[in-house]
Amino acid sequence: MSRGSSPHEPVLLAEAVELLRVSPGATVVDATLGPGGHAAALLDRVGPTGRVIGIDRDPASIAFASERLSDYGKRFLALHGRHEELVTLLHQAGIVVIDAALADLGISSFQLDDPSRGFAFGSDGALDMRMDRSTAGPTAADLVASLDEPSLRSLIATWGEERLAGRIAKAIVRARSRAPISTTRELAQIVEHAAGPAARRFRIHPATRTFQALRIAVNQEIVSLPAFVSGAVSLLRRGSRLAVISFHSLEDRAIKRAMLDLANRCICPPGLPVCGCGRENIVRIVTSRAVVPSADEVARNPRARSAKLRVVERL
Ligand SMILES: C[S@@+](CC[C@H](N)C(=O)[O-])C[C@H]1O[C@@H](n2cnc3c(N)ncnc32)[C@H](O)[C@@H]1O
């Protein structure tokens, strides 16, 4: 079976596939299909009698993965939409129960390395950052142009966990009063200048956290995670699993919280043989500590370095 080549190296691939315990014949959802790296491995695992449904909000990723996975025929189905709407998307496709679900959050190298998408400060492109360019917006340029200084500071502090958010917001407001900020390079230079020489000593580029904040805000990334986790779990057959790979602390915290909320619902005193509070636990936590990539994987693929994998099992 041909897998084609991919512009994105799947992260924690062996670990995720192993922990999902997918059997031949299973119906598996990859809720963040991207270029289809995890989906290809899952298709091989489910074999000729199984199927994989891939969801992505980015039409370009759907098109790329559909072409790449075309050899799998009807065993692969791509759906354009948001993972937090997966229950509706799958019901519309006639699927009401699944044997495993995976989400590999954030964006792929396929998106990051395309300057026209506006995700990267290392190359110049329009300041867009929408994962789904078929939506009306707002783009990152819209937010940078329209938010007042306190709102910009709060956005950069909250979603970028950026210590210098105040200074950066002030610099953005000053710069945009002279000319609109419409490209990634312009914004990166403004942030770099505002952060000052001290920030250049840090391991990451001074604009990393501001770009992360804008991307999260444009795509409402963190606020959508609890709905995704509870939706995916609601479709899982008993004993089957959901695995989520996150890439920064905000994502990981939201995923951990959403999983714990479903694992710790019951308020009965410990030791009761049967739950009497009516709030039965829905999942059990499989990974009490998040699984992280091996040193080998990080050496091969530095973008994997901050990845964390968490898994729950439906009760
Ligand atoms: C890290 S990539 C997935 C890469 C893929 N696992 C692979 O190995 O080829 C994440 C993908 O999730 C998509 N995505 C992010 N948030 C989403 C959401 N709320 N709903 C649907 N897709 C989303 C992005 O567009 C991107 O294509």
Side-chain angles (χ1 to χ4, degrees):
M1 183 66 66
S2 152
R3 288 203 190 160
S5 60
S6 174
H8 176 88
E9 170 99 22
V11 172
L12 286 165
L13 178 66
E15 292 85 346
V17 172
E18 189 57 38
L19 279 165
L20 280 174
R21 292 197 313 192
V22 173
S23 320
T27 295
V28 179
V29 172
D30 181 346
T32 52
L33 175 65
H38 286 94
L42 291 166
L43 277 157
D44 288 340
R45 186 59 85 101
V46 299
T49 55
R51 61 182 168 161
V52 171
I53 297 99
I55 297 172
D56 207 292
R57 66 193 293 186
D58 175 17
S61 298
I62 289 277
F64 183 92
S66 299
E67 170 66 26
R68 179 181 178 200
L69 302 174
S70 58
D71 286 355
Y72 291 93
K74 290 207 168 97
R75 295 167 49 212
F76 172 66
L77 173 66
L79 300 175
H80 175 231
R82 300 163 64 120
H83 58 43
E84 59 272 33
E85 290 163 359
L86 95 169
V87 174
T88 311
L89 289 168
L90 291 181
H91 281 188
Q92 283 165 352
I95 298 161
V96 292
V97 59
I98 58 176
D99 301 302
L102 170 72
D104 172 23
L105 301 174
I107 52 170
S108 69
S109 307
F110 172 69
Q111 296 160 312
L112 189 66
D113 297 341
D114 176 351
S116 77
R117 306 296 303 261
F119 291 115
F121 44 77
S123 50
D124 204 15
L127 197 52
D128 188 325
M129 298 200 195
R130 283 169 303 158
M131 288 186 196
D132 184 352
R133 285 189 286 185
S134 66
T135 60
T139 63
D142 293 334
L143 294 183
V144 162
S146 63
L147 293 179
D148 61 18
E149 191 178 320
S151 307
L152 267 176
R153 185 180 58 228
S154 155
L155 183 153
I156 296 167
T158 307
W159 301 126
E161 299 184 304
E162 171 61 87
R163 253 180 344 104
L164 306 174
R167 249 200 251 178
I168 295 169
K170 192 185 268 304
I172 289 174
V173 169
R174 198 180 313 122
R176 79 184 183 197
S177 71
R178 294 192 291 266
I181 305 166
S182 50
T183 71
T184 49
R185 185 151 297 152
E186 282 164 6
L187 180 64
Q189 280 169 355
I190 293 162
V191 175
E192 202 173 346
H193 194 256
R200 284 185 214 121
R201 289 202 304 271
F202 296 151
R203 197 172 50 86
I204 58 171
H205 186 283
T208 306
R209 293 178 191 280
T210 301
F211 271 62
Q212 171 186 304
L214 284 166
R215 195 196 87 198
I216 289 174
V218 164
N219 297 290
Q220 303 272 295
E221 289 178 47
I222 308 296
V223 291
S224 63
L225 294 176
F228 161 65
V229 170
S230 60
V233 161
S234 74
L235 294 171
L236 285 175
R237 207 183 289 285
R238 273 174 194 267
S240 59
R241 293 181 171 185
L242 163 69
V244 183
I245 301 168
S246 61
F247 289 87
H248 52 77
S249 54
L250 291 166
E251 272 175 356
D252 185 53
R253 250 181 269 146
I255 291 298
K256 189 174 166 192
R257 180 77 264 147
M259 289 178 163
L260 283 172
D261 283 350
L262 298 177
N264 295 324
R265 286 164 41 88
C266 176
I267 50 169
C268 292
L272 275 197
V274 190
C275 169
C277 71
R279 293 169 44 90
E280 279 160 13
N281 295 334
I282 297 175
V283 299
R284 96 178 163 82
I285 305 284
V286 175
T287 47
S288 49
R289 274 164 175 258
V291 175
V292 296
S294 64
D296 272 1
E297 177 170 0
V298 175
R300 208 176 54 246
N301 178 17
R303 283 180 181 172
R305 67 184 174 276
S306 50
K308 287 191 171 163
L309 166 65
R310 295 188 185 273
V311 180
V312 289
E313 183 174 299
R314 178 75 200 251
L315 293 171

